[in-house]
Amino acid sequence: MELDESKYLYLFFLLPLVVLLFLYNMYWKRKKQKEFGAIESINKLSPERSIFKPVLKLIVLLLALVGLILGLVNPKIGTKMETVKREGIDIVFAMDVSKSMLAEDIAPNRLEKSKQLVSQIINQLGNDRIGIVAYAGSAFPVLPITTDYSVAKMFLQSMSPDMVSSKGTSLDEAIRLSATYFDDKSKTSKLLILISDGEDHSEGALAAAEEANKEGMRIITIGVGTEKGATIPLKRNGVVESYQRDRNGDVVVTKLNQVSLETIAKATKGGYVNGNNTKQTMEYIKNTLDKIQKTEFEATQMADFQSQFQWFLGFAFILLFADIFLLDRKTSWVKKLNLFNE
């Protein structure tokens, strides 16, 4: 069972308040009755007044409130787990989140442009499974292989240079970590889409790509940035405070290294595309995906949850309607039974 609007559960705190108001009202009535005379005499003047009916009306009101609250909460019930057969490929997105990706030679900056590209690629996928890796000086697993695209987009938007503490850009670690996402025993096609400005501060990216090729991986690299380059603004609350500097105190100018990205892609018989042109990038990725062989695999899913709020609201309205006919006087047939010694 799943609760659609669990925030309304706090309304259950109203129930004790209603009971307290009822008890106070009973106390106030009894106090006023004593001011007019003895309780026994007042009861003789109103022999048809029921002692139990007010309590019954309270119970009906409480049950109606419970029904209304549960209706707002909207419990959902899923019937069963079902296994769905899909046909697709496994794709891992390796996102460069190093500080150089904050350069604004591509609007709004390289990192945000990368997020836009990946999001649009995900939008045009069908039954493929996807995972996400973040990397800078080291690589960090963000999202394991999944078919839940909405969750993937949520994680994608949260990515920033603060995710990875190591400075620099290590393409080889990104490739090796991405390789662990794929199942070696599976025959599903394996694709790594690596998005970066290509500035690699480590050695061994080509060797890592050759290892990936032996494992049946194909790598597509997407370059983000310009060969002219740009400085790296350091902002606080959206305002530029300074610019990234090197050890000598000189302002760093980061440039797109297209050759590095092309070399990695060629090592796996993949391809390179300049991500600055969104339309061109989407067409290239679509054509590439269409040519990759799709494999059938199974994915276990929960069957659709069905809303149950209507039952609780219906129950509540029936009780509220019945409460209209619950008068304070005694019911004749109950009076004959004398169940409550009235």
Side-chain angles (χ1 to χ4, degrees), residues 5-68:
E5 297 288 346
S6 57
K7 60 185 178 183
Y8 290 113
L9 289 174
Y10 291 107
L11 293 177
F12 277 112
F13 288 113
L14 291 175
L15 301 182
L17 181 61
V18 172
V19 174
L20 289 174
L21 289 173
F22 172 79
L23 294 175
Y24 176 77
N25 184 56
M26 295 292 289
Y27 166 77
W28 179 82
K29 284 184 177 180
R30 195 169 185 85
K31 182 179 178 182
K32 290 297 181 182
Q33 287 173 352
K34 287 182 178 180
E35 293 178 1
F36 288 101
I39 298 298
E40 294 77 8
S41 302
I42 294 175
N43 288 338
K44 289 179 181 181
L45 293 174
S46 53
E48 294 300 317
R49 186 175 62 86
S50 173
I51 299 174
F52 173 70
K53 281 289 184 68
V55 178
L56 178 60
K57 286 174 70 68
L58 172 67
I59 293 172
V60 169
L61 176 61
L62 291 175
L63 289 174
L65 285 174
V66 169
L68 289 173

Side-chain angles (χ1 to χ4, degrees), residues 83-180:
T83 301
V84 180
K85 288 189 176 181
R86 299 172 178 267
E87 191 177 67
I89 65 176
D90 287 344
I91 304 172
V92 173
F93 295 96
M95 293 274 296
D96 187 346
V97 293
S98 60
K99 284 192 174 181
S100 65
M101 295 297 285
L102 297 177
E104 297 177 347
D105 49 350
I106 301 297
N109 61 41
R110 296 177 185 177
L111 181 57
E112 291 304 316
K113 179 66 175 181
S114 300
K115 291 180 183 180
Q116 293 171 11
L117 291 173
V118 173
S119 182
Q120 290 191 40
I121 293 172
I122 292 174
N123 287 340
Q124 65 182 26
L125 297 179
N127 296 320
D128 307 297
R129 296 185 296 194
I130 60 176
I132 301 176
V133 167
Y135 68 94
S138 59
F140 177 80
V142 176
L143 181 71
I145 290 288
T146 181
T147 55
D148 194 332
Y149 294 168
S150 60
V151 171
K153 288 182 180 180
M154 181 182 70
F155 277 93
L156 177 67
Q157 294 306 316
S158 66
M159 296 177 72
S160 72
D162 298 328
M163 296 182 69
V164 183
S165 58
S166 302
K167 297 180 180 180
T169 305
S170 182
L171 294 172
D172 59 326
E173 287 203 25
I175 296 170
R176 289 192 174 95
L177 178 59
S178 299
T180 65

